[in-house]
Coordinates of all heavy atoms in Angstrom, one line a residue:
A4 N 3.3 -16.4 -9.3 CA 2.1 -17.0 -9.7 C 1.5 -17.8 -8.6 O 0.2 -17.8 -8.4 CB 2.3 -17.9 -11.0
A5 N 2.3 -18.5 -7.9 CA 1.8 -19.3 -6.8 C 1.3 -18.4 -5.7 O 0.2 -18.7 -5.1 CB 2.9 -20.2 -6.2
A6 N 1.9 -17.3 -5.4 CA 1.4 -16.4 -4.4 C 0.1 -15.8 -4.8 O -0.8 -15.6 -4.0 CB 2.5 -15.3 -4.1
L7 N 0.0 -15.4 -6.1 CA -1.3 -14.9 -6.6 C -2.4 -15.9 -6.5 O -3.5 -15.6 -6.0 CB -1.1 -14.4 -8.0 CG -2.4 -13.7 -8.6 CD1 -2.9 -12.6 -7.7 CD2 -2.1 -13.3 -10.0
L8 N -2.1 -17.1 -6.8 CA -3.1 -18.2 -6.7 C -3.5 -18.4 -5.3 O -4.7 -18.5 -5.0 CB -2.6 -19.5 -7.3 CG -3.5 -20.7 -7.2 CD1 -4.9 -20.4 -7.9 CD2 -2.9 -21.9 -7.8
A9 N -2.6 -18.4 -4.4 CA -2.9 -18.5 -2.9 C -3.7 -17.4 -2.5 O -4.7 -17.6 -1.7 CB -1.6 -18.6 -2.1
L10 N -3.4 -16.1 -2.9 CA -4.3 -15.0 -2.6 C -5.7 -15.1 -3.1 O -6.7 -14.9 -2.4 CB -3.6 -13.7 -3.0 CG -4.5 -12.5 -2.7 CD1 -4.6 -12.2 -1.2 CD2 -4.0 -11.3 -3.4
V11 N -5.8 -15.5 -4.4 CA -7.1 -15.7 -4.9 C -8.0 -16.7 -4.2 O -9.1 -16.5 -3.8 CB -7.0 -16.1 -6.4 CG1 -8.4 -16.5 -7.0 CG2 -6.4 -14.9 -7.2
V12 N -7.3 -17.8 -3.8 CA -8.0 -18.8 -3.0 C -8.4 -18.3 -1.7 O -9.5 -18.5 -1.2 CB -7.1 -20.1 -2.9 CG1 -7.7 -21.1 -1.9 CG2 -7.0 -20.8 -4.3
A13 N -7.5 -17.6 -1.0 CA -7.7 -17.0 0.3 C -8.9 -16.0 0.2 O -9.8 -16.0 1.1 CB -6.5 -16.4 0.9
V14 N -8.9 -15.1 -0.8 CA -9.9 -14.1 -0.9 C -11.3 -14.8 -1.1 O -12.3 -14.5 -0.5 CB -9.6 -13.1 -2.0 CG1 -10.8 -12.3 -2.3 CG2 -8.4 -12.2 -1.6
A15 N -11.3 -15.8 -2.0 CA -12.5 -16.5 -2.3 C -13.0 -17.2 -1.1 O -14.2 -17.2 -0.7 CB -12.3 -17.5 -3.4
A16 N -12.1 -17.9 -0.4 CA -12.5 -18.6 0.9 C -13.0 -17.7 1.9 O -14.0 -17.9 2.6 CB -11.3 -19.4 1.4
G17 N -12.3 -16.6 2.1 CA -12.7 -15.6 3.1 C -14.0 -15.0 2.7 O -14.9 -14.8 3.6
Y18 N -14.3 -14.7 1.5 CA -15.5 -14.1 1.0 C -16.7 -15.1 1.2 O -17.7 -14.7 1.7 CB -15.4 -13.7 -0.4 CG -16.6 -12.9 -0.9 CD1 -16.7 -11.6 -0.5 CD2 -17.5 -13.4 -1.8 CE1 -17.8 -10.8 -0.9 CE2 -18.6 -12.7 -2.2 CZ -18.7 -11.4 -1.8 OH -19.8 -10.7 -2.2
L19 N -16.4 -16.3 0.9 CA -17.5 -17.3 1.0 C -17.8 -17.7 2.4 O -18.9 -17.9 2.8 CB -17.2 -18.5 0.1 CG -17.1 -18.3 -1.4 CD1 -16.6 -19.6 -2.1 CD2 -18.5 -17.9 -1.9
A20 N -16.7 -17.8 3.2 CA -16.9 -18.3 4.6 C -17.3 -17.2 5.5 O -18.2 -17.4 6.3 CB -15.5 -18.9 5.1
W21 N -16.8 -16.0 5.4 CA -17.1 -15.0 6.3 C -17.8 -13.8 5.7 O -18.3 -12.9 6.3 CB -15.9 -14.5 7.1 CG -15.3 -15.7 7.8 CD1 -15.8 -16.2 8.9 CD2 -14.1 -16.3 7.5 NE1 -15.0 -17.3 9.3 CE2 -13.9 -17.3 8.5 CE3 -13.1 -16.2 6.5 CZ2 -12.8 -18.2 8.5 CZ3 -12.1 -17.1 6.5 CH2 -11.9 -18.0 7.5
G22 N -17.7 -13.7 4.3 CA -18.3 -12.6 3.6 C -17.5 -11.3 3.8 O -18.0 -10.2 3.5
A23 N -16.4 -11.3 4.4 CA -15.6 -10.1 4.7 C -14.1 -10.2 4.6 O -13.4 -10.1 5.6 CB -16.0 -9.6 6.1
P24 N -13.6 -10.5 3.4 CA -12.2 -10.6 3.2 C -11.4 -9.3 3.6 O -10.2 -9.4 3.8 CB -12.0 -11.0 1.8 CG -13.2 -10.5 1.1 CD -14.3 -10.6 2.1
Y25 N -12.1 -8.2 3.6 CA -11.4 -6.9 3.9 C -11.1 -6.7 5.4 O -10.4 -5.8 5.8 CB -12.3 -5.8 3.4 CG -13.7 -5.9 3.9 CD1 -14.1 -5.5 5.1 CD2 -14.7 -6.4 3.0 CE1 -15.4 -5.6 5.6 CE2 -16.0 -6.5 3.4 CZ -16.4 -6.1 4.7 OH -17.7 -6.2 5.1
R26 N -11.7 -7.5 6.3 CA -11.4 -7.4 7.7 C -10.0 -7.7 8.0 O -9.4 -8.7 7.6 CB -12.4 -8.3 8.5 CG -13.8 -7.8 8.5 CD -14.5 -8.4 9.7 NE -15.9 -7.9 9.6 CZ -17.0 -8.6 9.5 NH1 -16.9 -9.9 9.5 NH2 -18.2 -8.1 9.5
S27 N -9.4 -6.8 8.8 CA -8.1 -7.0 9.3 C -8.0 -8.4 10.0 O -8.9 -8.7 10.8 CB -7.7 -5.9 10.3 OG -6.4 -6.1 10.7
G28 N -7.0 -9.2 9.7 CA -6.9 -10.5 10.3 C -7.6 -11.6 9.5 O -7.5 -12.8 9.9
S29 N -8.3 -11.2 8.5 CA -9.0 -12.3 7.7 C -8.0 -13.2 7.0 O -6.8 -12.9 6.9 CB -9.9 -11.6 6.6 OG -9.1 -11.1 5.6
L30 N -8.5 -14.3 6.5 CA -7.7 -15.3 5.8 C -7.0 -14.6 4.7 O -5.8 -14.9 4.4 CB -8.5 -16.5 5.3 CG -7.9 -17.6 4.6 CD1 -6.8 -18.2 5.5 CD2 -8.9 -18.6 4.1
A31 N -7.7 -13.8 4.0 CA -7.1 -13.1 2.8 C -5.9 -12.2 3.2 O -4.8 -12.2 2.6 CB -8.1 -12.3 2.1
W32 N -6.1 -11.4 4.3 CA -5.0 -10.5 4.7 C -3.9 -11.3 5.3 O -2.7 -10.9 5.1 CB -5.6 -9.4 5.7 CG -6.2 -8.2 5.1 CD1 -7.5 -7.9 5.1 CD2 -5.5 -7.2 4.3 NE1 -7.7 -6.7 4.4 CE2 -6.5 -6.3 3.9 CE3 -4.2 -7.1 3.9 CZ2 -6.1 -5.2 3.1 CZ3 -3.8 -6.0 3.1 CH2 -4.8 -5.0 2.7
R33 N -4.2 -12.4 6.0 CA -3.1 -13.2 6.5 C -2.2 -13.8 5.3 O -1.0 -13.8 5.4 CB -3.6 -14.3 7.4 CG -4.1 -13.7 8.7 CD -4.3 -14.8 9.7 NE -5.0 -16.0 9.3 CZ -6.3 -16.3 9.5 NH1 -7.1 -15.4 10.2 NH2 -6.9 -17.4 9.0
A34 N -2.9 -14.1 4.2 CA -2.2 -14.7 3.1 C -1.3 -13.6 2.5 O -0.1 -13.8 2.1 CB -3.2 -15.2 2.0
V35 N -1.8 -12.4 2.4 CA -1.0 -11.3 1.9 C 0.2 -11.0 2.8 O 1.4 -10.9 2.3 CB -1.8 -10.0 1.8 CG1 -0.9 -8.8 1.5 CG2 -2.9 -10.1 0.7

Side-chain angles (χ1 to χ4, degrees):
L7 181 57
L8 178 59
L10 177 67
V11 170
V12 169
V14 169
Y18 188 72
L19 294 173
W21 300 289
Y25 50 80
R26 287 199 179 122
S27 180
S29 71
L30 180 62
W32 276 112
R33 288 193 315 257
V35 170

